[in-house]
């Protein structure tokens, strides 16, 4: 049988640090919606450690959805839901549709998406979080960020040059600009946690 799993080596390096934050910052009940699950390696690592929460992986890339499916087949967990096709820039996400029965969504997790996609994904992420999260619900955002327009490490400046060679609309986002977008969507910036390799977790809460 074909194995469609993709491998993203960074997930092995960052997953334990991220999980230690998720364990204390996620709610006790409900379903965590993972936006842009990538290969699926984060999902299969996090879900078994976060019971009784359910974990809902998603992506808009069909090949990556197949990778998530095969990772789940290799490492199943009873609280891991089948991945769903979700493009954050759409005005309605599948978890908002009447037929969706994996909820209630009580938190959203997103790693490493808003810098390696056009700015519209950040706008879509914040708009979706406003529509979906309950009051007090958290959006947990992981990745590299600028602070006051400045890179926090020379390696991130180099990384951004590479991003821009892929697409001029890609960029390491400035946390002030991301927070302003969040605020427009009733999401308050409540915490920042430095992570290894010049990454951060930023937490936003629905007001
Ligand atoms: C660098 S990967 C990160 C994957 C994973 N979260 C991780 O940390 O390994 C960026 C992801 O963003 C997804 N993505 C880009 N644009 C998107 C969109 N409009 N809606 C949903 N996902 C999107 C890509 O398909 C890809 O899975």
């Amino acid at each position: 049988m074909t194995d469609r799993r993709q491998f993203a080596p960074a997930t092995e390096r960052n997953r334990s640090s991220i999980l230690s934050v998720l364990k204390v910052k996620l709610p006790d009940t409900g379903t965590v919606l993972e936006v842009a699950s990538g290969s699926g390696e984060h999902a299969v690592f996090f879900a078994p450690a976060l019971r009784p929460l359910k974990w809902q992986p998603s992506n808009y890339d069909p090949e990556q959805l197949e990778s998530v499916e095969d990772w789940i087949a290799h490492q199943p967990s009873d609280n891991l839901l089948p991945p769903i096709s979700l493009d954050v820039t759409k005005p309605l996400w599948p978890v908002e549709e009447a037929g969706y029965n994996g909820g209630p969504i009580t938190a959203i997790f997103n790693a490493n998406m808003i810098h390696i996609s056009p700015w519209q994904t950040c706008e879509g992420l914040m708009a979706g979080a406003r529509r979906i999260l309950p009051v007090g619900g958290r959006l947990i955002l992981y990745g590299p960020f600028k602070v006051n327009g400045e890179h926090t490490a020379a390696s991130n400046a180099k990384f951004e040059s590479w991003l821009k060679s892929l697409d001029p609309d890609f960029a390491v986002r400035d946390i002030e600009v991301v927070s302003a977008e969040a605020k427009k969507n009733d999401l308050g910036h409540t915490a920042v946690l430095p992570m290894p390799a010049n990454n951060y977790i930023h937490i936003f809460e629905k007001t």
Side-chain angles (χ1 to χ4, degrees):
M1 203 176 74
T2 316
D3 183 356
R4 302 167 301 175
R5 283 179 301 167
Q6 297 178 7
F7 295 81
T11 59
E12 280 188 25
R13 295 193 293 272
N14 61 32
R15 63 189 187 180
S16 296
S17 307
I18 297 173
L19 179 59
S20 64
V21 174
L22 295 180
K23 279 182 172 168
V24 291
K25 297 296 183 185
L26 286 175
D28 296 329
T29 58
T31 300
V32 181
L33 171 63
E34 181 185 20
V35 167
S37 296
S39 63
E41 289 160 282
H42 274 159
V44 296
F45 184 75
F46 296 152
L50 294 171
R51 288 190 190 91
L53 278 171
K54 288 194 274 183
W55 192 270
Q56 175 64 74
S58 73
N59 208 316
Y60 85 144
D61 177 327
E63 282 182 20
Q64 289 209 310
L65 279 173
E66 291 173 350
S67 174
V68 181
E69 281 171 12
D70 282 8
W71 269 106
I72 294 175
H74 276 79
Q75 289 177 222
S77 183
D78 56 8
N79 60 338
L80 200 41
L81 297 166
I84 53 172
S85 176
L86 189 161
D87 179 343
V88 278
T89 64
K90 299 285 184 211
L92 184 78
W93 294 359
V95 295
E96 300 174 80
E97 285 167 6
Y100 179 71
N101 58 12
I105 305 294
T106 49
I108 298 175
F109 171 73
N110 175 242
N112 290 323
M113 178 188 73
I114 63 170
H115 60 271
I116 194 156
S117 54
W119 174 246
Q120 285 76 12
T121 61
C122 184
E123 294 174 324
L125 179 65
M126 297 303 175
R130 169 165 67 177
R131 295 193 306 273
I132 289 160
L133 289 176
V135 170
R138 290 177 175 156
L139 164 64
I140 300 183
L141 191 58
Y142 171 90
F145 293 88
K146 288 183 193 160
V147 178
N148 292 320
E150 303 288 338
H151 286 291
T152 60
S155 57
N156 281 357
K158 203 171 157 199
F159 179 56
E160 184 171 66
S161 301
W162 175 74
L163 287 172
K164 288 196 171 296
S165 75
L166 298 178
D167 186 323
D169 288 341
F170 295 178
V172 174
R173 308 297 174 190
D174 192 316
I175 188 55
E176 276 74 29
V177 180
V178 173
S179 296
E181 187 62 33
K183 198 171 173 194
K184 275 199 259 173
N185 287 285
D186 303 330
L187 297 159
H189 186 215
T190 56
V192 53
L193 300 145
M195 303 295 285
N198 305 305
N199 288 294
Y200 293 85
I201 282 182
H202 287 283
I203 300 184
F204 301 89
E205 279 182 26
K206 172 86 175 287
T207 54

